Structure formats: structure tokens, C-alpha cells
């Protein structure tokens, strides 16, 4: 049946958002509440890293989540204040002041829109699976490591509270999945500590919660070339780190939900969200893996509503229910984040059976990615280094597939070299050494029908081989080139040595 043949009611149902279903709405609502709670301690912690008031981090998470829920390309993914962006902009705030930080956030958003429009998201397809696994595992490790300080030099009741919170999240789903287990854990642990008067660190100990909504305004900086040159390097670094973390997280959510998302829209959406956040006095952000995992994997959210509600609930919780939220024990949030780290880690990737079957190079790339991220606390560094290592290993592996075999005519006046495999910079350099220039007959045929020329290095190697034979008065004939190889050979042959 065609769309035009449908009744008006049926057409309306086709356009009705999924979250209007009562079951989906309940899931999205509760997921948003849990994520809103989980955003509070991290937003405050990242404010400390940057050196700004805790309210700045909370405003940032609010505006990022609300704006990205509308303009982002990946439904159910959470964007907020993050450690990666905080580490980039912290030096700027310390050296030049808060106004310059805001300017960097706005300019970083502009950079992200430009990069998104230029198709930078397409570069994600060059990130190998082993790097993606390392990215996920390193995030899980970082989320866990971030909880360790919360367990150091604290009152002893913190430890049984954390264990109890974890036990609740493991066992409660056996009873019902109608209410997210993390929310139950937070409510139960808060009720226990308040009712029993147990003195443990709480959310309120991290800093004063905001009492009103943020007000928009322009950065308090001189609009000069000097300001631009000061801010631009930090803005570009923030844009790249934010996009990389967001796009990798979006791909992870795609895999978890078996759905596709628009990475170009996500890139542009991150830029818009950062511009809005900067104009409201926020410190910039991007996708956050921990809260995204709570939203998608733990709570089962799948639509933009949960992302919007996470930001909305965050402000409501801080402004309206600030006194209640401030009494939530940090132990409850630590328990939630520990479970998130366990759920996010790809345990299959380190199983002995997997390690025995997986090529050593793939495992090495995963380990390098994890180590770089954990050591630097910078996801961009780990992904870039891991991708480079993967490319080097791939190049070495493919280079070994190139081979040369020889066959001499019965008359002995001609020799045929058959080259097989992919010819590029890694394999072409070895190609020159595979020929017998001094002992070969006067006629030499190089058969490339089973090979492919990829780059200038391969053409230069063939030119060098031909030149070595010609110096000895011998002729060389190159045959069997496929169309792309013939084109690149015709274009570059004789143009690479500067001797023509």
C-alpha cells in the first residue's frame, strides 16, 4: 500500500515519535533522571580541573545535553562537560582568564561546524576495529580510575555502601527492569545514610549547586588579532579532541543499538552545542562515554528524549532539589560508575581463547591504544597512536605479499620477471634488489599483470630498475599493467628523479 493510500490517522502514527509510547516514555524518563544524577559529580570534578566555579561545569552539562538532543546526529548519546575538553582548556583559563576560555569554546564550536561540513566524520572509517576495542577498554579503565580517589582516605562506611550499591544493581534487575537499577541504588543508599545519620562524603561536599539558570552573553575579551592568535590553538585542539571522542562514542552506540547515525550531523551538532554553551558561560564539552553507557546500555534508552531530560533534570535537581541532591552519598555514584566501567569493558577482547586466535598485531594495537589513553588521559592521543601503529603493521604485512619470480627463455636471450602483489612505498623499496642486473641477458621483461601500482615510490623503483639495466646496455619491457597502474606509471615515469 502506498503512503498516499494510508488514512490520516495511519500517516500520523508513521510520524509519531517513538517516545510517545508509554513504555518507551517511561524508560526514557527514568534513564534521563539517572543520567542527570550521574552528571553532577563529574561536572563538578571537571570544573575543579579547569579552575572554575562548580556551577560552570553544571551549566555546561545542562546546555550541552539539551542542545545536542535537538541538533545531534546520534539519538540517546549524552554530551556534557568532559575531562578530555577540560584538560585542553585548563591551561588557557589559568594563563589568560575565564573570558579567553569562553572565547575558545565558542571558536572551537565554529571549528567543529566547519570540520563537520568538510566531512571530517568520514575519516572514522580509517580507524581499525582493534583501535575501537582499545578505545572502549581504555574508557572503561579511565572511568574506573576516576572512582579510585573517592575510595581513598574516606570513612569506613563508604566501602560497605559501595559494595551494597553494586550488589543492588546486579540483583535488582532479577526482580524487575521497569525501574533502572542505578536509580534504585542511589535512592536506597541515600535513604540509608540520611536515616541512619551516617557521615560520608556527599555531592554537596563537592561544591555549591547553582540556584538559577545561566544568562547568555558574549566573552569578556578584546576582539583583536592578538586574542584570536591566543585562543585559536586551544579552540582547534578542543574541536579535534571533542569530535574524536564524540564520533567514536557515536559509533560505539551504533554498534550497541544496531542502528546507524549521521556522523556529519553529529559533528555539526557538537559545534552548535559548544557555541551555545560558550555563550551561556560554559566551559565546553563533548560526548561522555560513562553517562552514555548508563543511558543506553544500563537504562535501555534509545531516543533523543532521554538526552534532553538528562540535561533538564540536571538543572531541576540542582536548582529545585539542591538540598536533597547535595545529600546523595558519593558512594552511591561511585557504585554506579564502577558498574558502568565493568559493563563498558570488552571482556571478550582479553579472553584467553580470543587472544590465542587473534593476530598478534591486532592485540598489540589494542594494548598500545589502551596504554596511551590511560597514561595521557587523552583519548585523541590513544586513537591517533593506535591507528598509526595499525597502519604500520598493515603496511608491513601487505609488503610481504609482494613477490618476484623469474623464468628464462629456452634460447637464453630473454628473462621474464613476474611481479605479484601490491606495490607501494613499503614493498617497492625491496623490489630493486630482486633483479640480477649483471648476469641477466640483454632482454628483460617485467610482467606486472598480477601486481598493482599504488604510489610514486613504486614508479620510482621501476624507473631505478630500468636505469640499472640501461647502464649495462640492456633493454627493459614492462608489460601487463592494469589500467590504473598504467595511468600512474605513464604520468610519473621519468618525472621523479629530476634528471630528465
Amino acid at each position: 500500500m502506498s503512503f498516499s493510500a494510508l488514512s490520516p490517522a495511519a500517516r500520523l502514527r508513521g510520524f509519531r515519535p517513538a517516545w510517545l509510547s508509554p513504555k518507551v516514555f517511561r524508560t526514557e524518563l527514568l534513564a534521563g533522571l539517572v543520567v542527570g544524577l550521574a552528571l553532577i559529580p563529574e561536572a563538578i570534578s571537571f570544573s575543579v580541573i579547569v579552575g572554575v566555579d562548580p556551577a560552570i561545569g553544571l551549566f555546561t552539562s545542562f546546555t550541552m545535553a539539551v542542545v545536542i538532543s535537538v541538533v545531534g546526529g546520534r539519538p540517546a548519546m549524552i554530551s556534557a562537560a568532559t575531562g578530555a575538553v577540560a584538560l585542553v582548556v585548563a591551561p588557557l583559563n589559568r594563563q589568560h582568564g575565564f573570558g579567553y576560555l569562553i572565547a575558545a569554546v565558542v571558536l572551537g564550536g565554529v571549528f567543529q561546524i566547519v570540520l563537520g561540513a568538510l566531512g571530517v566524520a568520514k575519516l572514522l572509517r580509517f580507524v581499525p576495529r582493534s583501535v575501537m576495542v582499545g578505545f572502549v577498554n581504555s574508557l572503561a579503565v579511565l572511568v574506573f580510575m576516576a572512582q579510585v580517589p573517592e575510595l581513598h582516605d574516606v570513612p569506613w562506611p563508604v566501602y560497605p555502601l559501595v559494595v551494597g550499591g553494586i550488589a543492588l544493581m546486579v540483583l535488582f534487575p532479577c526482580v524487575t527492569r521497569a525501574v533502572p537499577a542505578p536509580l534504585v541504588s542511589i535512592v536506597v543508599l541515600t535513604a540509608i545514610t540520611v536515616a541512619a545519620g551516617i557521615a560520608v562524603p556527599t555531592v554537596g561536599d563537592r561544591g555549591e549547586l547553582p540556584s538559577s539558570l545561566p544568562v547568555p552573553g558574549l566573552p569578556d575579551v578584546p576582539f583583536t588579532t592578538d586574542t584570536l592568535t591566543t585562543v585559536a590553538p586551544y579552540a582547534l585542539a578542543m574541536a579535534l579532541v571533542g569530535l574524536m571522542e564524540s564520533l567514536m562514542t557515536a559509533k560505539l552506540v551504533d554498534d550497541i543499538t544496531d542502528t546507524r547515525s549521521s556522523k556529519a550531523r553529529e559533528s555539526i551538532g557538537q559545534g552548535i552545542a559548544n557555541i551555545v554553551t560558550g555563550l551561556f558561560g560554559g566551559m565546553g564539552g563533548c560526548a561522555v562515554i560513562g553517562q552514555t553507557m548508563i543511558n543506553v546500555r544500563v537504562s535501555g534508552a534509545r531516543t533523543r528524549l532521554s538526552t534532553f531530560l538528562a540535561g533538564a533534570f540536571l538543572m531541576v535537581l540542582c536548582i529545585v532539589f539542591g538540598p536533597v541532591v547535595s545529600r546523595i552519598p558519593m558512594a552511591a555514584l561511585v557504585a554506579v560508575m564502577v558498574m558502568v566501567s565493568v559493563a563498558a569493558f570488552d571482556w571478550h577482547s582479553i579472553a584467553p581463547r580470543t587472544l590465542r586466535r587473534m593476530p598478534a598485531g591486532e592485540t598489540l594495537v589494542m594494548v598500545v591504544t589502551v596504554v596511551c589513553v590511560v597514561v595521557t588521559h587523552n583519548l585523541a592521543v590513544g586513537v591517533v597512536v593506535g591507528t598509526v601503529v595499525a597502519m604500520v603493521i598493515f603496511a608491513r604485512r601487505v609488503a610481504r605479499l609482494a613477490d618476484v619470480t623469474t623464468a628464462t627463455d629456452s634460447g637464453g636471450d630473454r628473462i621474464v620477471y613476474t611481479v605479484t602483489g601490491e606495490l607501494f612505498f613499503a614493498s617497492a623499496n625491496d623490489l630493486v634488489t630482486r633483479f640480477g642486473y649483471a648476469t641477466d641477458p640483454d632482454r628483460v621483461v617485467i610482467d606486472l599483470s598480477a601486481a598493482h601500482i599504488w604510489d610514486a615510490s613504486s614508479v620510482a623503483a621501476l624507473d631505478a630498475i630500468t636505469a640499472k639495466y640501461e647502464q649495462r646496455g640492456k633493454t627493459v619491457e614492462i608489460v601487463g599493467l592494469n589500467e590504473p597502474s598504467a595511468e600512474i606509471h605513464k604520468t610519473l615515469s621519468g618525472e621523479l628523479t629530476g634528471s630528465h
Side-chain angles (χ1 to χ4, degrees):
M1 181 183 292
S2 66
F3 181 78
S4 59
L6 295 174
S7 65
R11 294 182 193 179
L12 185 61
R13 284 196 298 272
F15 285 109
R16 189 175 65 176
W19 50 264
L20 283 179
S21 160
K23 182 178 180 181
V24 174
F25 182 81
R26 182 185 63 199
T27 299
E28 301 294 308
L29 180 72
L30 294 174
L33 179 57
V34 174
V35 173
L37 286 168
L39 284 171
I40 294 173
E42 287 203 356
I44 295 174
S45 298
F46 299 146
S47 300
V48 174
I49 292 174
V50 177
V52 296
D53 190 82
I56 301 299
L58 292 166
F59 287 151
T60 300
S61 294
F62 161 63
T63 54
M64 287 294 297
V66 168
V67 174
I68 206 67
S69 69
V70 178
V71 299
R74 175 60 261 178
M77 190 169 76
I78 306 296
S79 289
T82 62
V85 172
L87 289 170
V88 171
V89 299
L92 180 64
N93 183 59
R94 287 195 296 267
Q95 296 170 20
H96 299 280
F98 185 65
Y100 282 81
L101 183 151
I102 298 302
V105 172
V106 174
L107 183 58
V110 173
F111 282 150
Q112 287 179 328
I113 292 175
V114 173
L115 291 170
L118 292 175
V120 71
K122 294 178 181 177
L123 295 176
L124 192 64
R125 67 178 184 268
F126 293 108
V127 178
R129 180 188 176 279
S130 51
V131 174
M132 273 296 299
V133 173
F135 169 80
V136 172
N137 289 348
S138 59
L139 283 172
V141 172
L142 287 182
V143 169
F144 182 83
M145 288 175 60
Q147 312 315 310
V148 174
E150 304 296 337
L151 301 175
H152 177 68
D153 195 23
V154 292
W156 70 265
V158 168
Y159 304 108
L161 285 172
V162 171
V163 173
I166 293 173
L168 266 174
M169 283 181 281
V170 172
L171 299 175
F172 189 78
C174 299
V175 179
T176 178
R177 293 183 179 271
V179 181
L183 179 60
V184 174
S185 179
I186 291 171
V187 171
V188 170
L189 294 190
T190 302
I192 290 173
T193 54
V194 171
I198 302 173
V200 292
T202 63
V203 170
D205 297 332
R206 288 300 187 90
E208 187 176 349
L209 301 181
S211 56
S212 61
L213 290 172
V215 178
L218 294 175
D220 184 17
V221 295
F223 291 88
T224 63
T225 305
D226 288 340
T227 300
L228 181 62
T229 55
T230 299
V231 166
Y234 294 95
L236 182 59
M238 173 198 148
L240 293 173
V241 169
L243 279 185
M244 186 173 295
E245 187 164 351
S246 298
L247 294 176
M248 296 285 279
T249 305
K251 189 174 187 305
L252 176 62
V253 177
D254 288 353
D255 294 340
I256 293 173
T257 60
D258 291 325
T259 57
R260 296 182 64 183
S261 61
S262 171
K263 304 303 185 296
R265 178 177 173 179
E266 184 61 39
S267 302
I268 295 171
Q270 289 290 329
I272 295 172
N274 271 303
I275 291 173
V276 173
T277 296
L279 294 177
F280 275 90
M283 62 187 198
C286 61
V288 281
I289 185 70
Q291 281 72 14
T292 297
M293 288 299 98
I294 292 175
N295 198 46
V296 175
R297 178 166 281 175
V298 179
S299 301
R302 293 293 183 270
T303 77
R304 298 176 184 275
L305 181 63
S306 57
T307 306
F308 175 84
L309 290 177
F313 278 141
L314 172 63
M315 278 294 97
V316 171
L317 289 168
C318 292
I319 295 173
V320 180
F321 300 102
V324 177
V325 173
S326 64
R327 301 186 72 175
I328 295 174
M330 287 302 300
L333 299 176
V334 169
V336 171
M337 298 311 290
V338 167
M339 287 298 294
V340 168
S341 67
V342 172
F345 196 91
D346 186 349
W347 296 100
H348 176 72
S349 67
I350 61 170
R353 183 178 178 184
T354 303
L355 295 175
R356 283 195 301 268
R357 295 186 174 187
M358 189 70 66
E362 300 282 320
T363 303
L364 176 63
V365 169
M366 181 192 71
V367 172
V368 167
T369 303
V370 172
V371 170
C372 287
V373 172
V374 172
V375 170
T376 64
H377 283 236
N378 190 321
L379 294 165
V381 171
V383 171
V384 170
V385 173
T387 302
V388 170
V389 172
M391 288 180 175
V392 171
I393 292 174
F394 174 76
R396 286 174 57 86
R397 187 180 301 157
V398 175
R400 293 196 189 101
L401 299 179
D403 194 20
V404 179
T405 57
T406 61
T408 305
D409 284 355
S410 56
D413 64 340
R414 189 180 79 151
I415 186 170
V416 178
Y417 285 90
T418 301
V419 181
T420 60
E422 309 300 320
L423 299 183
F424 64 111
F425 63 89
S427 57
N429 292 330
D430 183 51
L431 190 65
V432 182
T433 65
R434 306 291 294 274
F435 293 79
Y437 305 101
T439 58
D440 283 346
D442 291 340
R443 293 179 59 203
V444 178
V445 176
I446 302 176
D447 183 1
L448 297 174
S449 56
H452 186 96
I453 296 175
W454 287 102
D455 60 6
S457 297
S458 306
V459 177
L462 291 173
D463 284 354
I465 293 167
T466 302
K468 286 179 180 291
Y469 278 115
E470 289 177 347
Q471 289 169 5
R472 293 169 172 79
K474 301 176 181 181
T475 61
V476 177
E477 182 184 6
I478 298 176
V479 300
L481 289 169
N482 58 35
E483 187 174 340
S485 299
E487 183 65 29
I488 191 172
H489 185 264
K490 178 182 177 181
T491 303
L492 298 178
S493 182
E495 302 291 329
L496 302 171
T497 62
S499 60
H500 58 281

